[in-house]
Amino acid sequence: MAILVTGGAGFIGSHTCVELLNAGYDIVVVDNYYNSSPKSLDRVRELTGKDFKQYECDIRDSEGMDKIFKENKIDAVIHFAGLKAVGESCRKPMEYYDNNIGGTVKLCQVMRDNGCKNIVFSSSATVYGMNNVSPLKETMKAGGTTNPYGTTKYMIEIILEDICKADEEWNATLLRYFNPIGAHKSGRIGENPNGIPNNLMPYITQVAIGRLPCLSVFGNDYDTPDGTGVRDYIHVVDLADGHVKAVKNILEGKKGVQIFNLGTGKGYSVLDIINGFEKATGVKINYKIVDRRPGDIATCYSDPSKAKEVLGWEAKRDIEEMCEDSWRWQSQNPNGFED
C-alpha cells in the first residue's frame, strides 16, 4: 500500500512525507522542483530513517505520470503540486489555470486509467471568497474568490466533486487549509521559497537573517483590531498530521466527497505575528506599511470543529512554537537547502 505525494518536495509536502513515513505508510514522491528542492527529500530520509521512491516529473506529463503508476501500486494520492502565490496569480493567471487545473485533470485521468480513485486534495481557505464571515465553516457557500490562485482551488474542488458524482468508486477529501507556518522541530526542513517570498513568515525570517532588508506589510487600514490583515496561522506539522488522518479515513472506506477545514480557529494579525516572532526569538523585525495587495481580504479564520469530530484531528501547536520553529529552520539554514 503506497501513497503518491505530488509536490512532495515542497514545504507542506515534505513535512507530510515525514508524518506519513512515521505513521507506517509507504510513499512515492513526484515533483518537478519548480519551487522546491530535491534536497528536502534527502532530509526526509534522514529524519525518518526510511527510504522511498522519488520521481522528477510534471503532473501535466501524462506519459511520465502513467509510468509512475505502472511501476508502483498506488492506493491513494495526496495532491499538493501546484502554483501557490496569490499576488503572482493576479499577474500570471494563464499559468495558474494551466498548471493547477490542467495538471489536476491530467493527474485524475492517469489515476482513473490505473484504477486509483482515492485523492486527498490540498485546497485552501481562499475558496470561501469574500462573501462569508469568519469563522468559516465547510457548510458555507464557496466561490466569490478574489484571485486566480483561489479560483483554481475552487474549480478543482468542483471538478473533483463532479468526478465523484459521475463514478461512485471515486473518493475525494478536500482539505481547506489556512496559513501554514513553522517548520520541523529538528530545523532540517522548512519553507524554502525561490526568490522573494510571497508568504509572511518566510519573509519575516529572511529579514531576521539579513537576506532581505525590510518586511512590507500590505495595508494597515483594514477593519481589524490593528488595521492589518487577520489570518488563521497553523503549524505545518499539525497540517501534515491532518493529511495523514485524511488519507487514513479514505483508505478505511469513507466514500464520496468530504470537506474539512484545517486551522486553529484563531485569528492573528500581521502585527501580531511580527510581535510574536520578536518575542519568541529576541530578533527585531524591520517593517514598513505599504499599499494593500490585490486579492487580499481583511479577516480569515476557521471553524475546525468538523475535522476534530470526524477525523479526530486538531491543531496542537501555538503561535510561539510556530515562530520558534520557523526561526530555528531559517537560522540553521540561512540559504535554505543550498547550505
Side-chain angles (χ1 to χ4, degrees):
M1 180 180 290
I3 311 301
L4 179 68
V5 185
T6 73
F11 174 44
I12 303 170
S14 60
H15 287 81
T16 300
C17 287
V18 169
E19 298 309 309
L20 285 166
L21 290 166
N22 286 342
Y25 290 98
D26 293 323
I27 65 171
V28 176
V29 176
V30 58
D31 204 301
N32 66 0
Y33 308 122
Y34 172 78
N35 193 31
S36 61
S37 169
K39 293 177 182 176
S40 69
L41 298 176
D42 295 335
R43 296 193 183 185
V44 169
R45 293 183 177 91
E46 170 197 315
L47 290 169
T48 62
K50 296 181 179 180
D51 199 12
F52 52 88
K53 287 187 183 178
Q54 72 185 80
Y55 295 85
E56 182 174 358
C57 185
D58 192 298
I59 58 170
R60 293 169 293 181
D61 175 3
S62 297
E63 190 175 318
M65 292 298 295
D66 186 67
K67 183 172 181 287
I68 293 169
F69 274 86
K70 292 286 193 290
E71 291 179 359
N72 301 277
K73 174 69 177 77
I74 305 297
D75 295 278
V77 174
I78 300 181
H79 179 30
F80 294 108
L83 301 175
K84 61 176 186 176
V86 168
E88 183 184 61
S89 76
C90 295
R91 298 190 303 274
K92 300 180 175 179
M94 285 190 289
E95 286 84 348
Y96 272 69
Y97 289 123
D98 173 52
N99 189 89
N100 293 7
I101 297 173
T104 301
V105 170
K106 291 199 169 183
L107 170 66
C108 289
Q109 288 170 337
V110 173
M111 289 175 64
R112 176 196 62 196
D113 294 345
N114 287 277
C116 176
K117 297 182 177 180
N118 298 314
I119 186 168
V120 175
F121 173 56
S122 162
S123 191
S124 165
T126 56
V127 303
Y128 288 111
M130 58 190 303
N131 300 320
N132 293 304
V133 177
S134 294
L136 299 168
K137 302 174 185 287
E138 294 89 346
T139 51
M140 290 176 170
K141 182 175 174 58
T145 48
T146 60
N147 54 76
Y149 163 76
T151 303
T152 66
K153 294 295 188 182
Y154 176 54
M155 292 176 74
I156 292 167
E157 285 196 2
I158 293 172
I159 290 165
L160 293 174
E161 287 174 351
D162 285 344
I163 289 171
C164 290
K165 283 177 193 170
D167 182 350
E168 63 182 17
E169 291 183 355
W170 273 90
N171 307 298
T173 298
L174 315 177
L175 299 180
R176 294 174 177 170
Y177 37 87
F178 286 69
N179 292 64
I181 59 175
H184 193 271
K185 188 65 69 181
S186 65
R188 296 297 288 156
I189 56 174
E191 190 164 11
N192 182 45
N194 290 334
I196 303 296
N198 290 292
N199 296 325
L200 177 61
M201 185 54 77
Y203 211 116
I204 288 176
T205 59
Q206 289 194 17
V207 170
I209 205 72
R211 284 178 65 182
L212 294 170
C214 182
L215 169 70
S216 293
V217 176
F218 296 102
N220 65 346
D221 57 350
Y222 286 106
D223 184 17
T224 62
D226 62 23
T228 63
V230 169
R231 297 290 182 270
D232 186 338
Y233 294 91
I234 176 173
H235 197 293
V236 65
V237 176
D238 282 332
L239 191 61
D241 182 54
H243 290 78
V244 176
K245 296 279 201 307
V247 82
K248 179 174 183 283
N249 190 47
I250 277 188
L251 293 175
E252 287 177 348
K254 190 65 178 179
K255 296 295 184 184
V257 177
Q258 298 183 91
I259 303 173
F260 299 102
N261 287 334
L262 295 185
T264 65
K266 299 178 182 135
Y268 294 91
S269 74
V270 175
L271 294 183
D272 286 336
I273 298 299
I274 293 170
N275 293 334
F277 183 87
E278 291 179 342
K279 182 179 177 184
T281 66
V283 180
K284 191 75 176 167
I285 299 301
N286 183 31
Y287 71 89
K288 64 181 178 182
I289 306 297
V290 298
D291 290 340
R292 293 184 183 191
R293 188 168 53 179
D296 277 350
I297 59 176
T299 301
C300 178
Y301 63 95
S302 69
D303 175 351
S305 56
K306 182 181 176 186
K308 182 177 181 179
E309 179 185 337
V310 177
L311 300 178
W313 173 90
E314 63 181 325
K316 298 173 182 173
R317 296 160 178 86
D318 61 16
I319 283 292
E320 184 177 359
E321 189 169 356
M322 297 181 212
C323 292
E324 288 174 351
D325 292 344
S326 295
W327 179 234
R328 185 180 301 106
W329 151 254
Q330 187 71 81
S331 59
Q332 292 181 10
N333 305 270
N335 298 304
F337 291 110
E338 298 312 308
D339 290 314

